[in-house]
Every structure is written in structure tokens, then in C-alpha cells.
Amino acid sequence: MFNRIFFIAIIIGVPLSVIGSILHWPAVLLFVIYCATIIALAGYMGRATESLAIIAGPRIGGLLNATFGNAVELIISIFALKAGLISVVLASLTGSVLGNLLLVGGLSFFIGGLKYKQQKFNVYDARHNAGLLIFAVVVAFVFPEVFSYKLNDADSLTLSVWVSVIMIILYVAALLFKLVTHRGVYQSEHDVAHGDETAEWSKWKALIVLALATLAVAYVSEKLVHTFEEVGRTLGWSEVFIGIIIVAIVGNAAEHASAIIMAYKNKMNVAVEIAIGSTLQIAMFVAPLLVLVSLFFEKSMALVFTLPELVAMVLAVFLTISLTSDGDTNWFEGLTLLAAYLIMGVGFYLL
């Protein structure tokens, strides 16, 4: 069903995106068209990546999923950086962390828990991810924030660049650890399933779809970024709210749907890996990469979040760790995560 909806959305959305931008349709209408089109394109990118992952085998497949998992968010953020919308980029990174841990994790646990009284997942994987979450968000994000009060802008940027380089190196090491040196220890049902699955598309079809979808996402994302200011004025949304809620959900919508479907099928290792693995990728790879990319634009971005953003991410990390450290979950724990997301969403809307 999703595949058919996404196909129709692309067939209609891409031409409308081009026509609407040429004819200067109202910003709010274009904003809706662009968001729907990006979500549909992200779905196709996900299917192409999954096919390539099955063809290439678990190790390369894991690397492909890690590389393209947040490609849409990265593309939108790069165009936002180019437009000088640094607050939107930082807010969208915050929104991705909150969205993956609280919204996706919450919905997965809640919907899966309605069907199954108790759902289990790899407790050792959960504990391994817990340490990385604390490093990525609490250590690497809080540290530049605290030091920025004593540093000037240039020194804050220098610190951010160093932190970013170290985080990317550690992220690559984490991939090496999970996919190569300790693959047997951290092998999930997702890896096992790939051995039995047949790819939906051939290698060349998947590569062509991935390339075309990525190009289309790049085009639509650039147009989307230019609607933010007008949409914010019209609807009364702040740049922070647009980044934290809208951009984050649009950039990760297809991935969110996959996690919820996996939880409903009782494949909790996969659902948890999508929610927490995607968060780690955002914090340890996408955010540092955006800091380094911003050096080539007029306005560079230091890895310094606002205090509400930082507090929200730290609370989300500790709540998620406390609920996942036992290796099982239920619908009430999912509801707890969703309640936290709603509280934070209302707070950022009112900012």
C-alpha cells in the first residue's frame, strides 16, 4: 500500500514541484507539495538501499544503510546551511534525535505492544548503543555548549571542528566494530533475514532508482528551504519549531514507517536498530559532517545548540536508555516515550 501511495505522490509531486516554483504558487501550498514529495522519494531511496544491501551482503549492506539512512535529512540541511539558516539546521538535528528516540521508539513500542504483551530485543546491543548515545549527545554536544560561554565565536568554531572530526572517526570505528570485528556478537535478526531474502530490484535498477531519487530530493529540498521564512510568518511557526518538528519528520518519515512496521511484525531488534542507530548516525556523522561542510559557506556552523534543544536531547537519551536497558518493552513504555515527545513538541511550539 505504501509503495503505491509513494509512487503516485512522486508522479504527481515532482512535476507540481517544478511547475509551482516556476509559477510562484503560495509558499504554504508549495511547502506541503515539497514535503509530501520528499517523503515519497525517501521511501524509494529506502527500497533501493535495501535491495542493494541484500545483494551486497550483511557487511556492505550495513554500511549502505548507514550511509543512506539519513541522506534526505543531510541534503535538506546542506541547502539550509547554504541559505544561512543555521538555527533551522541545529533545530532539525535536535528534532531528528528527539523524533527517532521518542516518536519512532515510542510508536514502535506502543503499536508493537498492542499486539504482543512483551517484546524482546538484543540487550547487549542496547547497552552498547546506550554508551554511544551518552557519548554522542551528552559528551560531544554538551561540551562545546558549556565551553562556548568562555570562548569567542572563532574559538567555538575551532572546538566544534575538532569535536566533529573526532566523532566521525569514532563513528567509522563503531561501524567497523559492529560490521567487521564483532559482527558475530552483535548480529541481529535483520542480518540473518538478509541471508534468506531476495532483493526487490536488480543491482542496476536499484542504483538507477537511488541516483534519480537522490537528484530529485536535492532539487525539491533546495526549493523547500526557500519556503521556510514565508511559511513561518504565515502559520506563526518559529524557525526552531520548523526545524525540530517539520524538517525532522519529513527527512526521516520513510525510515519511521519502517521501524513501526517492523515492531508490528515483532522484529524488535530491527525496530530498535532503526530508532537508536539512526539517532547515533545523526549525532555522530550527520551533525559533524554539516559542521565541516559549513566551513565552505558564507556562515559557518558551530556545534552549539540552544539550552532548550540541549536539555531536550539529554532528557530523551536518558529516558530511552532507562526504558531499553532491560532488553524488553511493552505498550506502556511506548506511551511514556510519546508523552515525552508531545511535552517537548508543545514547549518548542510556544518558544
Side-chain angles (χ1 to χ4, degrees):
M1 186 182 74
F2 275 121
N3 293 345
R4 188 176 298 172
I5 291 169
F6 285 165
F7 179 74
I8 294 167
I10 290 170
I11 293 298
I12 297 171
V14 173
L16 283 183
S17 298
V18 177
I19 294 164
S21 65
I22 292 170
L23 298 179
H24 303 292
W25 288 355
V28 176
L29 175 62
L30 287 174
F31 178 80
V32 172
I33 292 169
Y34 295 153
C35 286
T37 306
I38 288 171
I39 289 170
L41 288 165
Y44 267 73
M45 287 174 70
R47 288 167 68 191
T49 306
E50 191 70 14
S51 292
L52 289 171
I54 293 167
I55 292 165
R59 293 189 189 190
I60 304 298
L63 194 59
L64 281 169
N65 282 323
T67 306
F68 286 98
N70 288 296
V72 174
E73 172 114 23
L74 183 63
I75 291 166
I76 295 173
S77 296
I78 287 171
F79 283 113
L81 277 178
K82 190 180 174 189
L85 302 173
I86 289 172
S87 62
V88 172
V89 175
L90 289 170
S92 74
L93 293 170
T94 303
S96 289
V97 171
L98 300 182
N100 282 312
L101 294 180
L102 303 180
L103 180 62
V104 179
L107 280 172
S108 299
F109 294 172
F110 180 71
I111 290 170
L114 292 177
K115 191 177 179 185
Y116 305 94
K117 280 203 168 184
Q118 188 184 43
Q119 291 184 292
K120 292 187 175 292
F121 48 88
N122 190 328
V123 66
Y124 301 106
D125 212 356
R127 288 170 186 166
H128 171 73
N129 285 337
L132 283 178
L133 276 175
I134 290 172
F135 167 80
V137 175
V138 181
V139 177
F141 286 175
V142 172
F143 192 78
E145 170 78 17
V146 171
F147 272 62
S148 69
Y149 290 108
K150 292 286 185 180
L151 300 175
N152 58 36
D153 289 346
D155 287 339
S156 286
L157 182 62
T158 302
L159 175 61
S160 297
V161 169
W162 273 100
V163 170
S164 298
V165 170
I166 292 165
M167 285 174 79
I168 289 172
I169 292 169
L170 190 68
Y171 181 69
V172 172
L175 287 178
L176 187 70
F177 179 79
K178 286 191 74 172
L179 300 177
V180 182
T181 66
H182 284 64
R183 188 172 147 248
V185 180
Y186 292 97
Q187 189 174 36
S188 72
E189 62 198 49
H190 196 210
D191 300 324
V192 176
H194 271 182
D196 305 325
E197 282 181 305
T198 52
E200 181 185 1
W201 296 328
S202 68
K203 181 174 76 172
W204 287 110
K205 182 179 179 181
L207 285 169
I208 291 165
V209 169
L210 188 60
L212 292 175
T214 304
L215 287 172
V217 164
Y219 172 81
V220 179
S221 296
E222 185 180 21
K223 302 298 180 186
L224 174 69
V225 165
H226 294 301
T227 65
F228 287 166
E229 204 172 320
E230 184 64 32
V231 167
R233 268 203 306 271
T234 306
L235 300 179
W237 293 349
S238 66
E239 282 189 350
V240 171
F241 180 77
I242 289 172
I244 283 185
I245 304 297
I246 309 302
V247 175
I249 289 176
V250 168
N252 295 291
E255 204 170 32
H256 292 182
S258 298
I260 295 160
I261 290 165
M262 288 298 167
Y264 187 73
K265 292 178 178 177
N266 203 25
K267 295 184 177 180
M268 286 308 292
N269 277 338
V270 186
V272 170
E273 183 60 34
I274 291 171
I276 296 181
S278 187
T279 305
L280 289 172
Q281 189 184 89
I282 286 287
M284 297 180 69
F285 181 72
V286 175
L289 186 62
L290 288 170
V291 170
L292 300 179
V293 168
S294 75
L295 299 176
F296 297 97
F297 295 137
E298 194 175 331
K299 287 173 73 176
S300 297
M301 182 181 82
L303 204 59
V304 178
F305 295 87
T306 64
L307 194 58
E309 290 169 347
L310 205 58
V311 169
M313 285 191 286
V314 170
L315 292 177
V317 164
F318 283 118
L319 179 60
T320 302
I321 289 171
S322 68
L323 293 180
T324 57
S325 60
D326 57 356
D328 66 65
T329 186
N330 52 62
W331 69 262
F332 185 73
E333 290 183 347
L335 200 60
T336 304
L337 291 172
L338 289 173
Y341 186 75
L342 286 173
I343 288 169
M344 291 178 187
V346 171
F348 282 114
Y349 177 75
L350 295 173
L351 267 183

